[in-house]
Each structure stands twice: as structure tokens, then as C-alpha cells.
Amino acid sequence: MESTAARPRPVLTAGTVLPEDAGRAALVARVHDPEAGGPCVAAVRGERVVDLTAVVPTVSDLLERDDAAEVVREAGGGRAWRLDGLLGAPPGQGDVPHLLAPVDLQVIKAAGVTFARSLLERVIEERTGGDPAQATRVRERVVRLVGGRLDGIRPGSPEAAEVKELLLAEGLWSQYLEVGIGPDPEVFTKAPVLSAVGTGADIGVLRASVWNNPEPEAVLVVNSRGRVRGATLGNDVNLRDVEGRSALLLSHAKDNNASCAIGPFVRLLDDDFGIDAVRGLDIDLRVEGPDGYVLRGSSSLREISRDVLDLVSATYGAHHQYPDGFALFTGTLFAPTEDRRAPGEGFTHEYGDTVRISSPRLGALVNTVVPSEEAPPWTSGVGALMRSLARRGLL
């Protein structure tokens, strides 16, 4: 893959990133504002983005309030920005206002292997040892032997236990099948606090990876009491060759510079957008290469194997608390098998790919693929945020 330095970038506007029903939605953004000296919590009101940092210094604080949606819709704010202006800012340029990932102090967690179709692809990665050249052969065998046995199965059920015994007899049991249909889901820490990038930013893929793909997902935003307060979109970038060599390389595959994108905004749950609306979300993916290549895909939460609230309960409870809340990737149905570079090797990214993840009620998260080693370095952590808020007299 070649460098992306001279390639054109997608043009983003309010019309291309806002939800279809934005006028009814309580939308939360974060804005880097060099004049303020740091990040600002903001409300998206039409094509205006209004600074609420004097009311709530962090998104985490906002989601602790029972009146969060009212604050976002009605609270008086400070400065305001044009959404188009924020979206047009060059990525990684700290001297102009631009959008950030819309979460801040929340721990970034992810649930994996939550859809049967993508579960089979994880098994294939494991069986190939991360070698894409073997994928077609292994896929044919796995689908032939496993196939419909997983359709409609409830993880942890007696029926799931029976399927496990059948697969053991076929020599096909896998660590991915264990978390896919066993009693306990896979929940891991995807990225450090404040490391996620937002819409319009570069997203990173390790230069050494030769088999990788985007993972379009719904992300639940949960407060310190384990209450889901909103939802957004995420790209849980997947390095199939790295994780396929060993599941113990999960952190190396998942947590790299700019390898987690969240946005464009957090849509707060309210009477018009409740948890059942989240359960019914359809998420579309479009990857457009610099050479004109186009890949389309989709994921629907209606087909998830575990209810989203069960994933929250597996993350938060007596066994684990999150004082500043957490953002939880819920997994994806999407697992591309279309050949791109060579027959039998499936899909993998090229640098310069534009990845657009969208849902009618959440808007669009758009990023450009670059080597993680060339993405803007992550330099602003918790300490920088606290110092910035203290300088502004907001702590």
C-alpha cells in the first residue's frame, strides 16, 4: 500500500453527516477549539454547533444528568461554530476548530463475535493462521460443516451446548465459537480513554498488515450507573492477519494509533429514540478506493445473537464498574469476502480508502485509511484535558 499524502480527501457537509431526522434528535458533539485552548462539549442544533462546556465540562458529566437531552436542546451556550466549517477542517491540524470523537472520559470497550455470520469468518481467520491465500479453501469447509447449525441459536442455551458437542466431534471447535455461542460474550478494551478519532479524521491500519477490513458497528454510550444514555457509530478496525495468527495478539490487532473511530455525534436516548430503536438500527458501509474501487456492506442489529443490554450487563455490574462511564462497540455482521487484490485473497484496505459508515438515525462516520505510523500522533490524554479545563475555570 502506498502513502496517502497527496490524495484528495472526501468533502463532508452537514447534509452528508447529520441523521435524517436531525431536527428531532438530541445530538452531542465534541469540538477542538484552539481559541478555547482545548476540547469543548457541544450541542448540534441544525447546522450550528453550540458550546456547552460551561454547563457540562465533559460528555461523561453530561450523561450523568437525568436532563441531558433537555440540556442539549435548550441550554444557553457560549460560542458557536458552523457545522460545515468544522467538517471542512484539515484532519490533525490543531490550529483550526474541528470535530473530535464525541466521547471523552468513557472507557472504550468492544464486544466481539456477536453475529453468527461474522463468527464464521473469525473461525476462518483462526484456521488459516492469518494467511489470506488459504481463506477460500478453509471457508468452503467451515461453511459446509457449520453453516446453518448456528442460525437463530441463543448463546448459552442447551441448543448451543448441543451444537458445541457436534462441532467438537468434527474437530471444528474454536475459541471464537466459545464466545459466539457460549454463555459468556467476548468483551475487551478496544482503545485507551480519549484516543478515538472522529468523523473526517484519518483512521490507521498497521503498515505490516496485509489482510484487514473495517468493522461498522453501533456504539452504546453508557453512564457510571450502567444506564445506556445514547448511541453512535464506530469503526473497530480489524487486522485479520494479526489476530488470525493468535487471539493473544488481539491488542496488537485492535489498539494502534488512530485505529478506533467513533462519531459523528452521540444521539441521546429520548421518547423518539429509545433502546428499541437502537435494537432496530441498520448500518451501511461504503469503502471507496483511490482507484475507483467500491465495496458495499451492511450490518443490522436485528440479527445480533445477544441483546445489546445483555452486552452492557456483561461489561458493567458488581464485577466491574466505570466511574466515568463507557462506550461499547456492539459487534458487526459485516465480514467481507470479496476479492480485491488477487483471486482467493478476499478484501483488504488500500491506503487512501474512504470508509463511510452510516445509519439513517445516527448520521455518517467518514474516515480516510492511512498507515497507523503516519496518522497524526495521539498527544492529548486525560492530563491534557484536565489542565485545559482548569485553565478555563471549568473544574
Side-chain angles (χ1 to χ4, degrees), residues 39-262:
C40 301
V41 179
V44 182
R45 298 172 181 170
E47 295 190 10
R48 294 177 69 247
V49 181
V50 179
D51 182 7
L52 299 180
T53 317
V55 181
V56 279
T58 67
V59 175
S60 174
D61 288 316
L62 173 66
L63 300 189
E64 295 299 318
R65 296 181 56 149
D66 292 334
D67 64 346
E70 181 181 342
V71 169
V72 169
R73 289 190 172 99
E74 301 177 9
R79 76 191 71 226
W81 307 268
R82 289 180 58 254
L83 180 54
D84 281 347
L86 297 174
L87 292 168
Q93 194 165 314
D95 58 352
V96 293
H98 59 269
L99 288 177
L100 302 168
V103 296
D104 43 39
L105 295 178
Q106 293 87 353
V107 176
I108 302 174
K109 306 291 287 188
V113 202
T114 55
F115 291 83
R117 194 187 309 168
S118 61
L119 159 60
L120 292 182
E121 286 300 314
R122 300 291 85 76
V123 175
I124 290 160
E125 288 169 15
E126 181 183 45
R127 293 282 159 171
T128 64
D131 180 1
Q134 300 183 44
T136 299
R137 175 183 56 80
V138 173
R139 183 176 294 110
E140 289 173 353
R141 178 170 183 261
V142 170
V143 170
R144 184 174 67 253
L145 293 175
V146 179
R149 292 178 179 178
L150 301 178
D151 293 348
I153 200 166
R154 183 168 59 85
S157 66
E159 293 80 10
E162 291 179 8
V163 171
K164 177 177 179 178
E165 292 304 315
L166 288 171
L167 294 173
L168 282 169
E170 295 281 0
L172 273 177
W173 188 248
S174 160
Q175 57 204 338
Y176 293 105
L177 287 161
E178 178 63 47
V179 296
I181 65 174
D184 300 311
E186 176 191 26
V187 180
F188 59 93
T189 300
K190 162 64 180 177
V193 171
L194 286 170
S195 68
V197 299
T199 202
D202 291 332
I203 192 162
V205 171
L206 283 183
R207 188 179 282 114
S209 176
V210 297
W211 190 20
N212 49 70
N213 62 264
E215 292 196 341
E217 304 188 21
V219 179
L220 306 178
V221 188
V222 186
N223 69 10
S224 68
R225 293 165 283 170
R227 179 182 171 194
V228 179
R229 301 306 312 276
T232 184
L233 296 168
N235 187 350
D236 179 18
V237 177
N238 183 33
L239 307 187
R240 303 187 69 176
D241 47 354
V242 175
E243 189 177 350
R245 296 198 334 257
S246 170
L248 297 180
L249 292 172
L250 178 66
S251 181
H252 183 46
K254 291 290 189 180
D255 182 11
N256 298 291
N257 195 29
S259 65
C260 175
I262 299 176

